Amino acid sequence: MTTPTTRPYEPWMRLALAEAEEAAAHGDVPIGAVILDPSGTVIGRGHNTRESEGDPTGHAEIVAIRAAARTLQARTPTTPKDWRLTDCTLVVTLEPCTMCAGAIVLSRLTRVVFGAWDPKAGAAGSLWDALRDPRLNHRPEVVPGVLEPACHAALDRFFAPHREK
């Protein structure tokens, strides 16, 4: 369901969905992510690469965080290296897991926007709420449910043949 809160993020969620399709084309679970700088410019993209690269940390969020950090480094090559993604927004098609939630907190992302809830492994409010845990020193804003039906549909298309077996 589109709301005034989720509507502004729809164009970027469509980019994340395109990344998700790229993952599916390579045999990975279709999850995609983009990271926006404060002006709304995409500075990092990623999709799941666990199967294609044989990397258990190849989640879309981690791939996008690494890409965004490289982009920031390239923008300011003469200043001290800063890995912080302060004032940046992560847009991802599925609620982040605990590993990704930890990376999100540690990278200092200001906002996390996601499409589909993940009741089996989500760490942004469904199974756990690691992103908004008051014991942490950094807690990003969380905006759930952006283009949720489209995000669910990408996952359903991918897993349908597996469910039939």
Side-chain angles (χ1 to χ4, degrees), residues 12 35-43:
W12 291 288
I35 295 181
L36 315 171
D37 71 6
S39 72
T41 300
V42 175
I43 60 169

Side-chain angles (χ1 to χ4, degrees), residues 110-135:
T110 298
R111 183 175 303 102
V112 175
V113 176
F114 68 87
W117 290 93
D118 185 357
K120 293 181 181 178
S126 62
L127 189 56
W128 295 287
D129 199 351
L131 292 179
R132 294 177 285 198
D133 190 315
R135 296 169 291 181

Side-chain angles (χ1 to χ4, degrees), residues 10-100:
E10 289 180 4
W12 291 288
M13 186 60 77
R14 290 186 207 304
L15 293 176
L17 281 163
E19 286 291 326
E21 292 304 317
E22 186 70 24
H26 294 99
D28 273 286
V29 176
I31 301 170
V34 296
I35 295 181
L36 315 171
D37 71 6
S39 72
T41 300
V42 175
I43 60 169
R45 295 172 181 261
H47 55 268
N48 274 9
T49 61
R50 291 186 308 169
E51 300 300 326
S52 63
E53 295 184 6
D55 179 0
T57 67
H59 289 211
E61 299 94 325
I62 303 295
V63 174
I65 287 169
R66 289 175 180 156
R70 285 192 302 272
T71 298
L72 291 182
Q73 302 286 319
R75 282 184 179 174
T76 56
T78 59
T79 60
K81 301 292 184 199
D82 189 2
W83 45 264
R84 292 165 188 85
L85 299 177
T86 307
D87 297 326
C88 293
T89 299
L90 168 70
V91 179
V92 62
T93 58
L94 184 66
E95 178 185 7
C97 69
T98 54
M99 175 182 70
C100 293

